[in-house]
Amino acid sequence: MSERDDDGARADAQLARSLALAAGALLLEIRARGTLSGKALGDAGDREANTLIIDRLRAERPDDFILSEESLDDGRRCAARRVWIIDPLDGTREYAAGLDDWAVHIGLSVDGVPHVGSVAVPARDAVHTTDDPVHVRRESRSPPRIVVSRSRAPDIARLVGETMHATMIPMGSAGAKAMAVVDGRAEIYLHDGGQYEWDNCAPAAVAMAAGLHASRIDGSPLVYNCVDPLLPDLLICRPELAGPVLAAIAAARR
């Protein structure tokens, strides 16, 4: 990467962090008002955080395209090199229920690669960004810890966890789960069964910047800005566990 490209990436990462923090602060303020609850609270949070992020991106990166869970998809983005991929409120259910494991995702895909990302977990006063990665200590832990959904029936993550004798940690949003691996509270996050690009672009960028493994569950690379934004599965884990986890996944899928 040239010095100019490096400066540009830092500026993009700083913008991503600023957006994640601003949207997170807004979401906390909306919830603190106490005037809405349940679905109405989640809908308001999604809508207002999305508006804040979109307005700032259009003002500060007018030549870039945007793919957001909460906005109509502009198909012209497929021909663009740079696309911001955002989820203004990942974990709407947790947010509306007053829990702390929800997140804001601000990702930037360049030529299909998760190039820059910031993930805020506002209720935990945490934010992770690609230009300031957390490098967790490389200690082996046995058994490993795997974050799993608290709301879904047993799935491949649970099967792999059982195979590896992992300690399973229930958690809410995709961003909160991924950041648990980034900050060392878990070793594995495995998802299969339906995600979209906005669910994992920013978390994958942050995880890779921190030196973690991030891929599809068959080991293939994560590719973004596709015509169909469905990106149904994801593995984020410590690099030394990638081989064993991928082998366990393959065995579980036979």
Side-chain angles (χ1 to χ4, degrees):
M1 181 182 292
S2 69
E3 184 175 343
R4 182 175 179 180
D5 289 340
D6 194 45
D7 288 343
R10 277 195 294 269
D12 287 333
Q14 289 166 5
L15 175 58
R17 180 183 180 90
S18 175
L19 290 170
L21 288 170
L26 175 61
L27 287 162
L28 289 172
E29 191 273 328
I30 293 168
R31 196 162 72 170
R33 292 172 193 165
T35 57
L36 298 171
S37 62
K39 186 177 185 302
L41 174 59
D43 289 346
D46 276 324
R47 181 178 61 254
E48 293 190 37
N50 189 64
T51 298
L52 181 154
I53 295 165
I54 296 293
D55 286 352
R56 280 196 53 189
L57 282 175
R58 286 177 175 162
E60 299 191 37
R61 296 293 187 275
D63 296 328
D64 292 349
F65 281 82
I66 304 169
L67 173 63
S68 169
E69 181 180 18
E70 302 302 325
S71 297
L72 291 175
D73 188 5
D74 182 347
R76 294 178 300 164
R77 67 173 171 79
C78 298
R81 294 190 63 230
R82 292 170 49 94
V83 180
W84 292 87
I85 300 177
I86 67 170
D87 190 343
L89 174 51
D90 178 62
T92 306
R93 180 185 299 135
E94 287 77 19
Y95 172 78
L99 301 175
D100 66 0
D101 49 350
W102 49 276
V104 178
H105 298 178
I106 310 293
L108 173 64
S109 165
V110 178
D111 295 328
V113 175
H115 186 64
V116 162
S118 187
V119 178
V121 188
R124 294 181 178 171
D125 194 26
V127 61
H128 298 281
T129 308
T130 46
D131 70 338
D132 186 23
V134 173
H135 293 283
V136 297
R137 289 182 295 172
R138 298 302 177 206
E139 295 177 347
S140 60
R141 182 184 176 96
S142 184
R145 297 163 295 181
I146 180 170
V147 282
V148 296
S149 173
R150 69 162 66 93
S151 60
R152 290 186 52 189
D155 56 11
I156 195 168
R158 296 185 184 274
L159 293 173
V160 169
E162 291 167 5
T163 298
M164 300 186 70
H165 305 289
T167 301
M168 298 185 194
I169 304 174
M171 200 171 292
S173 77
K177 293 189 191 80
M179 295 308 101
V181 183
V182 168
D183 66 24
R185 288 177 291 127
E187 285 71 48
I188 304 165
Y189 169 40
L190 166 62
H191 180 87
D192 180 33
Q195 284 191 356
Y196 290 84
E197 293 185 11
W198 46 76
D199 292 308
N200 51 52
C201 181
V206 170
M208 289 189 286
L212 297 170
H213 171 91
S215 72
R216 302 288 301 273
I217 63 172
D218 62 359
S220 61
L222 295 158
V223 179
Y224 293 91
N225 194 30
C226 299
V227 174
D228 182 353
L230 180 68
L231 206 169
D233 55 73
L234 172 70
L235 169 63
I236 291 175
C237 68
R238 292 177 60 113
E240 68 271 20
L241 293 177
V245 173
L246 290 169
I249 293 169
R253 298 177 83 190
R254 290 193 189 115

